[in-house]
Amino acid sequence: MSNKPQTLFDKVWDAHIVKQVADGPDVLFIDRHFIHEVTSPVAFLGLKNRNVDVMFPEKTFATADHNTPTINQHLPVADVLSANQLKALEENSAKYGISHWGLGNPKNGIVHVVGPENGITLPGMTIVCGDSHTSTHGAFGCIAFGIGTSEVEMVLASQCIMQPKPKKMRINVHGSMGKGVTPKDVVLYIISKLTAAGATGYFVEFAGPVFEEMSMEGRMTVCNMSIEMGARGGMIAPDETTFNYINGREKAPKGEAWVNSLAYWKTLKTDEGSVFDIEYNYEGADIEPMITYGTNPGMGMGISQRIPTAEGMESGKVSYEKSLSYMGFDEDQPMLGKKIDYVFIGSCTNGRIEDFRAFASIVKGRKKADNVTAWVVPGSHVVEQQIKDEGILDILIEAGFELRQPGCSACLAMNDDKIPVGKYAVSTSNRNFEGRQGPGARTLLASPLVAAAAAVTGIITDPRTLIG
Amino acid sequence: MAYDKFTVLSSTAVPLPIENVDTDQIIPARFLKATKREGFDENLFRDWRYNPDNTPKQDFVLNNPIYTGKILVGGRNFGSGSSREHAAWAIYDYGFRCVVSSFFADIFKNNSMNIGILPVTVSEGFLHQIFTAIENDPNTLIEVSLEAQTITLVSTGEKESFDINGYKKHNLMNGFDDIDFLHNIKTEITAFAENSKY
Ligand code: SF4
């Protein structure tokens, strides 16, 4: 190896190249593969048709999450097709010897919540899953990205994936986050600047004081959303915060293995003088609580601003107007004060304990607004238990909220948690596409604080006015 | 999954001049419940194509019989969003073999090539030309040659070249996929795994 300065991304990528194909992709070894019920059945079918085995079953982990009910999980799943998918996951896992955390298992939860929670996700790994928000695991200094079902089959069969090396982008956020501003706002702000396709073809490293100061939960929220700027994935260099989070988790290395791992993990940072294909700089002080007003995550704005006018659009005026008309909004309107119908807190973006703490901090001593239906959905059973143990459940109940059971829920509305036609939902999830949360549903993406402020007032409210 | 080999495709095209067509539009999540790869074409662009009572929406392009063909032409940033390969399956099963746009989302592009759809990236200007040509004459023929890496408006001869890496090109032209390739380097993979840190 030469002494040329290397980026974190290069270090991890290069350490996983099995082979380079001339005028083609790199063959990349995959350390961890997560699977769930929706994108894996056809992959297993493919294996069966080809008559090949799973090469390293111990490197794949299955959890049921996308298509599971969030109430009465002890009962048989009523939807026949959903029940079939869950059964297929269980049977395929058993057949090939893959670890499976199905419904009712105390470790069950959303794949991108349970991986880190159990120490499966470790710095320097390559991680894939048939879900685009696999980028979440980049918070640990991993190269983690979403794949399609053919690729799921590929990883099961060979533990490898064939990918051209993406270009490198670094996004630095300087200073610190202001009052009422959360990691979700930081990432929505970045996407609003870069647009929903602004990082396509790149792998992003998030750097600078704002990320260094962030908790692991916050870093996961940021990396989770890197796909929403079009990036293949996003990552943050591991540091003491990372190591403290991992230490002691079930599948984390122990004893001597821990010491050795730590020594390696500490080398996982971008060397001084490394070159990125492109770099962006932002100031934490410029970021206020954010909310989206349109039908892609790039259509976000500071909560106190007015909806942009089509005039300023570089291109796509027609698409912009179509989007606003779907949302039932007009350009140049304020968002503050608009009446909303639903609030959803949960998903792999904001379904971790810190998110419920933030939500509870505003809800405490207040009541849910009568016009609001709220779905409060923990990311995993572990998070659910923490919510109970920390007394957050009491605060929620006191304020008129119910806690549901873990799963993806209204993030993609495959189960019964669908927002009805034309209704407005303030959601802590990651996508506001047309119909994402149910046919005709209108999604406003925001942080847990903005969601809480909307839940207790029934309108879009600046959470800073409710924080003491 | 075996798919048809791709060499030269000469066909009329279906225009969808909308930007950021995301995979939730291509196939909504509620149609992802199958455990087999069957019938996804029925739900391609479901909510743009059908009313809630399942009657076709007359103004949507797939319901307009004057537009047909094996080529789908979409606006910038086609296929953004979810990693669901079901989106590519739905497009393939409907009968499209090629999607043309000025910009594709990464995962969609990979998924497409893995199942035998050729994503062709053209310049913004040429995309506009294609849309205009189809608007003026829905029978406009477009020729896509993977061999030559060109896309041509047959009536005028206007053409543009497109990029694709040699490896993927070879696969598409022969109907191979990555698993065939990986299968042949199993020994190398095993050797690599033995030194793996995790
Ligand atoms: S919560 Fe949403 S984004 Fe996250 S894994 Fe589930 S469906 Fe995907």
Side-chain angles (χ1 to χ4, degrees):
Chain A
M1 275 274 136
S2 68
N3 293 325
K4 208 172 140 235
Q6 273 191 307
T7 65
L8 165 63
F9 173 76
D10 285 325
K11 289 180 186 177
V12 180
W13 182 279
D14 294 353
H16 289 85
I17 298 174
V18 177
K19 191 184 178 79
Q20 290 181 302
V21 181
D23 192 17
D26 289 347
V27 178
L28 215 57
F29 191 78
I30 299 301
D31 296 314
R32 291 289 178 269
H33 181 206
F34 294 105
I35 57 173
H36 59 83
E37 74 277 23
V38 176
T39 55
S40 69
V42 174
F44 281 110
L45 213 58
L47 283 188
K48 197 171 145 220
N49 291 341
R50 289 178 203 253
N51 200 15
V52 293
D53 224 350
V54 175
M55 196 169 178
F56 294 105
E58 69 282 7
K59 293 186 192 290
T60 293
F61 296 81
T63 184
D65 56 4
H66 277 60
N67 199 357
T68 53
T70 53
I71 46 167
N72 293 325
Q73 288 186 351
H74 61 289
L75 298 177
V77 174
D79 181 311
V80 182
L81 294 174
S82 305
N84 272 343
Q85 282 194 330
L86 295 171
K87 195 164 137 249
L89 185 70
E90 185 175 350
E91 288 174 357
N92 286 324
S93 300
K95 178 173 166 193
Y96 293 103
I98 292 167
S99 146
H100 172 245
W101 294 338
L103 263 197
N105 187 305
K107 294 197 187 295
N108 174 260
I110 304 173
V111 51
H112 311 311
V113 177
V114 302
E117 203 167 64
N118 290 284
I120 300 173
T121 302
L122 299 173
M125 283 181 164
T126 46
I127 301 182
V128 296
C129 170
D131 180 281
S132 50
H133 293 94
T134 308
S135 57
T136 311
H137 307 266
F140 292 80
C142 298
I143 291 184
F145 52 88
I147 56 176
T149 297
S150 294
E151 292 167 313
V152 172
E153 185 183 338
M154 209 179 293
V155 179
L156 289 170
S158 70
Q159 206 58 38
C160 287
I161 199 128
M162 302 190 65
Q163 290 282 319
K165 193 172 184 178
K167 289 181 283 186
K168 287 164 291 192
M169 176 186 289
R170 181 159 64 182
I171 298 175
N172 307 294
V173 184
H174 308 281
S176 58
M177 292 190 286
K179 175 179 153 186
V181 176
T182 70
K184 180 65 162 290
D185 302 302
V186 174
V187 72
L188 282 174
Y189 175 85
I190 296 171
I191 302 168
S192 77
K193 295 287 172 201
L194 285 182
T195 78
T200 303
Y202 290 90
F203 211 98
V204 177
E205 180 178 344
F206 297 99
V210 161
F211 302 111
E212 285 159 20
E213 291 301 312
M214 237 177 231
S215 67
M216 285 317 292
E217 282 85 353
R219 293 178 189 181
M220 284 190 253
T221 301
V222 170
C223 289
N224 173 282
M225 296 283 289
S226 35
I227 179 78
E228 304 309 336
M229 51 189 99
R232 205 73 183 87
M235 67 201 304
I236 295 176
D239 59 9
E240 287 304 317
T241 308
T242 323
F243 309 143
N244 290 337
Y245 177 97
I246 296 168
N247 197 359
R249 297 204 179 243
E250 186 183 318
K251 295 195 190 294
K254 308 265 157 34
E256 198 186 329
W258 171 259
V259 177
N260 293 338
S261 301
L262 210 55
Y264 171 55
W265 295 344
K266 286 185 175 165
T267 67
L268 297 175
K269 50 177 169 248
T270 292
D271 299 331
E272 196 87 31
S274 300
V275 181
F276 288 81
D277 296 289
I278 195 162
E279 201 150 2
Y280 293 97
N281 289 285
Y282 301 108
E283 286 300 326
D286 293 342
I287 305 174
E288 64 164 337
M290 298 285 294
I291 191 152
T292 64
Y293 56 87
T295 55
N296 73 59
M299 300 173 80
M301 57 185 250
I303 197 160
S304 66
Q305 313 286 305
R306 304 175 86 86
I307 296 175
T309 54
E311 277 318 302
M313 297 291 130
E314 275 174 30
S315 67
K317 206 168 164 210
V318 178
S319 306
Y320 183 74
E321 280 159 4
K322 180 175 180 293
S323 172
L324 283 196
S325 112
Y326 178 87
M327 293 302 292
F329 292 154
D330 287 320
E331 39 182 53
D332 202 33
Q333 279 181 337
M335 288 293 282
L336 284 177
K338 282 192 188 296
K339 197 159 156 288
I340 57 114
D341 310 291
Y342 282 76
V343 166
F344 168 56
I345 165 151
S347 87
C348 59
T349 312
N350 284 122
R352 297 182 184 80
I353 187 62
E354 196 173 87
D355 303 312
F356 294 94
R357 284 183 197 138
F359 189 81
S361 73
I362 288 203
V363 158
K364 189 172 183 178
R366 298 191 168 93
K367 292 277 182 222
K368 182 182 79 61
D370 289 337
N371 62 310
V372 171
T373 305
W375 291 330
V376 182
V377 188
S380 70
H381 281 298
V382 172
V383 174
E384 184 184 18
Q385 195 55 48
Q386 280 174 297
I387 290 174
K388 291 177 181 164
D389 294 346
E390 293 187 13
I392 293 173
L393 181 59
D394 301 328
I395 297 172
L396 291 174
I397 291 174
E398 179 65 34
F401 294 91
E402 281 168 46
L403 186 65
R404 297 174 82 95
Q405 290 170 301
C408 294
S409 179
C411 174
L412 91 166
M414 259 190 96
N415 66 359
D416 290 336
D417 306 346
K418 292 184 176 58
I419 311 293
V421 185
K423 297 292 183 195
Y424 290 99
V426 177
S427 289
T428 66
S429 51
N430 41 57
R431 287 195 173 131
N432 50 354
F433 298 152
E434 281 185 33
R436 169 79 177 183
Q437 297 198 282
R442 292 160 161 169
T443 302
L444 313 169
L445 299 177
S447 74
L449 290 179
V450 172
V456 295
T457 58
I459 54 175
I460 294 172
T461 302
D462 189 333
R464 291 171 294 192
T465 61
L466 302 181
I467 301 173
Chain B
M1 189 94 189
Y3 55 83
D4 301 342
K5 296 176 189 177
F6 197 113
T7 46
V8 178
L9 177 66
S10 193
S11 169
T12 49
V14 177
L16 196 61
I18 300 171
E19 300 196 344
N20 299 312
V21 173
D22 60 72
T23 49
D24 276 79
Q25 307 319 317
I26 301 174
I27 187 156
R30 58 188 194 282
F31 301 111
L32 308 183
K33 295 192 183 192
T35 49
K36 295 201 175 68
R37 196 191 139 177
E38 274 170 18
F40 289 103
D41 50 331
E42 288 162 30
N43 297 313
L44 175 64
F45 293 116
R46 181 77 204 192
D47 294 336
W48 285 351
R49 198 166 143 203
Y50 296 102
N51 292 305
D53 64 2
N54 292 330
T55 53
K57 291 188 181 175
Q58 291 313 335
D59 59 352
F60 186 62
V61 67
L62 291 189
N63 294 324
N64 188 342
I66 67 169
Y67 298 109
T68 56
K70 293 185 169 189
I71 300 172
L72 177 65
V73 189
R76 192 181 159 74
N77 198 23
F78 191 91
S80 57
S82 136
S83 62
R84 61 188 68 161
E85 194 167 302
H86 311 66
W89 297 341
I91 289 173
Y92 186 96
D93 293 355
Y94 189 87
F96 293 115
R97 290 295 172 272
C98 174
V99 184
V100 179
S101 176
S102 55
F103 198 85
F104 287 97
D106 272 341
I107 305 184
F108 176 81
K109 195 166 160 187
N110 276 342
N111 286 344
S112 296
M113 290 195 280
N114 281 336
I115 66 156
I117 297 172
L118 176 66
V120 172
T121 309
V122 295
S123 67
E124 208 63 59
F126 197 62
L127 184 70
H128 190 75
Q129 252 174 299
I130 298 174
F131 280 134
T132 315
I134 302 173
E135 198 182 313
N136 293 338
D137 175 13
N139 294 320
T140 296
L141 261 190
I142 297 175
E143 188 182 275
V144 179
S145 166
L146 178 54
E147 172 86 80
Q149 295 180 220
T150 54
I151 172 165
T152 311
L153 280 164
V154 176
S155 58
T156 62
E158 290 160 295
K159 68 163 125 181
E160 211 173 80
S161 312
F162 60 86
D163 272 347
I164 181 168
N165 74 53
Y167 167 81
K168 279 286 174 200
K169 179 173 171 178
H170 178 75
N171 273 1
L172 281 164
M173 289 184 68
N174 293 286
F176 297 156
D177 68 14
D178 291 347
I179 300 184
D180 301 324
F181 180 92
L182 291 167
H183 204 74
N184 290 328
I185 59 161
K186 267 220 148 129
T187 355
E188 285 165 71
I189 298 173
T190 312
F192 188 94
E194 275 162 19
N195 294 314
S196 151
K197 288 198 171 65
Y198 300 98

